[in-house]
Amino acid sequence: MWFLSKKDPSGFNPNSTAEEVTQGIDGSALTAIVTGASSGIGAETARVLALRGVHVIMGVRNISAGRQVKETIIKDVPQAKIDALELDLSSLASVRNFASNYNSLGLPLNLLINNAGIMATPFALSKDKIELQFATNHVGHFLLTNLLLDTMKKTARESRKEGRIVNVSSRRHKFSYNEGIQFDKINDQSGYNGLSAYGQSKLANVLHANELARHLKDEGVEVTVNSLHPGAIATNLFRQHSIISGIVNVIGKHVMKNVEQGAATTCYVALHPDVKGVSGKYYADCNIAEASHQANDAGLAKRLWDFTVSLVHH
């Protein structure tokens, strides 16, 4: 599939790696948080941002795994400025604790990469009694972003550098439940479908980015928000599906992106000068792409915003 190496408008294509799309970019004046940075594209995103001089704070559920990734990155990039803090996106208390810890460090924040995610898990409720995929992939990131927003605005003002928030979604946002977001049945086990629930949470990532982009534009704040599809990547997101895992292991290397390619769009949207001033867009393969009709529904985005506010303040 990726033997097609034509150049798209950005000059990059599905083959491009995170290192290639950030070549020559100096991020040494920037500080970033990357959630879910202890494996997969999150770890590669953290590594490449650190390689470009960014001070990276990894938000990780498993702090010992996070420390291992940190050590691996420092071996590869000896000058890396990288730290790990504990963050469980499925727990609102953990999100609040992480944000409080981060804000108390007095660090600036230029980039927030909302990358962590779980996929197609069996039905379960989070500690806060919210369906687990929706809780982890959307609600946790929604709260985290809100709690760090003042720091990002302050950093943008003082540094005169644009802040960027990046929501890692998926093309699966196009395959949510029929109604898009099941507001009245978010925790309903009887109609639960693991892949549709994943699609719902990924649709929420795009809607959240679009609605927040509108808010910040109205405020005249120099912080942008975009969402993206990283590509079909052979990572441990597939761990819940042994059959899919088997197929991925056999044919994955031929039709899917590797981790280096999978982190490219995230790193491009986070760092590339061509993305300056762009907000409320959806990217794939380092180019602006078309999101679903539901993802572009401003009324649905507003309703989701109000619904999520009620969940986090419940």
Side-chain angles (χ1 to χ4, degrees):
M1 210 149 118
W2 305 143
F3 57 80
L4 301 169
S5 55
K6 71 179 181 66
K7 290 281 190 280
D8 289 307
S10 69
F12 303 113
N13 60 42
N15 265 328
S16 304
T17 65
E19 282 199 30
E20 287 166 356
V21 305
T22 58
Q23 193 65 48
I25 295 174
D26 178 10
S28 57
L30 304 175
T31 304
I33 289 172
V34 181
T35 71
S38 60
S39 66
I41 62 170
E44 177 65 0
T45 299
R47 184 187 75 82
V48 172
L49 292 182
L51 179 66
R52 300 298 172 228
V54 179
H55 180 190
V56 178
I57 290 83
M58 304 187 296
V60 291
R61 192 174 51 193
N62 181 333
I63 201 75
S64 63
R67 288 199 184 109
Q68 281 181 320
V69 170
K70 176 184 168 175
E71 283 166 24
T72 305
I73 290 172
I74 288 170
K75 270 184 200 151
D76 184 53
V77 187
Q79 74 278 16
K81 293 176 289 192
I82 192 153
D83 297 291
L85 288 177
E86 191 173 339
L87 172 63
D88 178 357
L89 269 306
S90 73
S91 159
L92 297 177
S94 175
V95 172
R96 288 192 172 96
N97 191 44
F98 174 92
S100 171
N101 287 343
Y102 187 86
N103 289 330
S104 70
L105 294 172
L107 288 170
L109 183 58
N110 306 88
L111 310 172
L112 173 59
I113 315 292
N114 290 322
N115 164 82
I118 56 173
M119 179 181 176
T121 50
F123 180 83
L125 294 177
S126 71
K127 288 172 190 163
D128 306 288
K129 303 289 185 283
I130 303 165
E131 187 275 309
L132 194 59
Q133 293 191 80
F134 194 73
T136 306
N137 299 352
H138 167 61
V139 180
H141 281 123
F142 178 94
L143 178 61
L144 179 69
T145 304
N146 279 6
L147 294 175
L148 294 170
L149 208 47
D150 282 345
T151 302
M152 290 199 75
K153 290 176 184 176
K154 181 170 181 271
T155 302
R157 264 196 323 272
E158 291 176 358
S159 68
R160 302 200 173 171
K161 282 188 175 66
E162 172 183 274
R164 295 184 184 181
I165 298 166
V166 182
N167 281 2
V168 179
S169 177
S170 163
R171 70 181 292 275
R172 292 268 351 157
H173 83 268
K174 299 177 181 183
F175 305 96
S176 178
Y177 296 105
N178 288 339
E179 61 270 54
I181 307 290
Q182 294 194 313
F183 294 105
D184 302 323
K185 297 186 285 187
I186 211 80
N187 298 333
D188 186 356
Q189 185 171 359
S190 63
Y192 181 80
N193 174 288
L195 278 171
S196 299
Y198 177 69
Q200 173 177 250
S201 71
K202 296 287 103 181
L203 172 61
N205 292 154
V206 184
L207 291 167
H208 170 222
N210 293 352
E211 182 65 12
L212 181 54
R214 277 190 281 273
H215 287 212
L216 295 172
K217 207 170 190 177
D218 290 346
E219 285 179 47
V221 177
E222 211 186 338
V223 176
T224 64
V225 200
N226 293 292
S227 57
L228 62 90
H229 168 51
I233 303 144
T235 72
N236 61 5
L237 263 187
F238 291 107
R239 61 185 170 264
Q240 295 294 335
H241 276 259
S242 54
I243 295 168
I244 296 177
S245 281
I247 294 166
V248 165
N249 290 338
V250 174
I251 66 165
K253 59 180 177 290
H254 301 296
V255 299
M256 299 176 95
K257 292 188 179 189
N258 58 34
V259 168
E260 292 79 13
Q261 293 163 336
T265 304
T266 304
C267 291
Y268 175 81
V269 175
L271 282 186
H272 205 281
D274 286 357
V275 184
K276 185 167 171 30
V278 178
S279 197
K281 297 295 183 191
Y282 171 77
Y283 282 79
D285 300 329
C286 300
N287 286 275
I288 290 175
E290 208 166 307
S292 70
H293 176 66
Q294 287 174 327
N296 290 314
D297 183 336
L300 187 61
K302 174 77 174 74
R303 189 179 172 195
L304 175 66
W305 183 281
D306 295 340
F307 177 72
T308 313
V309 166
S310 71
L311 286 178
V312 299
H313 294 305
H314 191 58

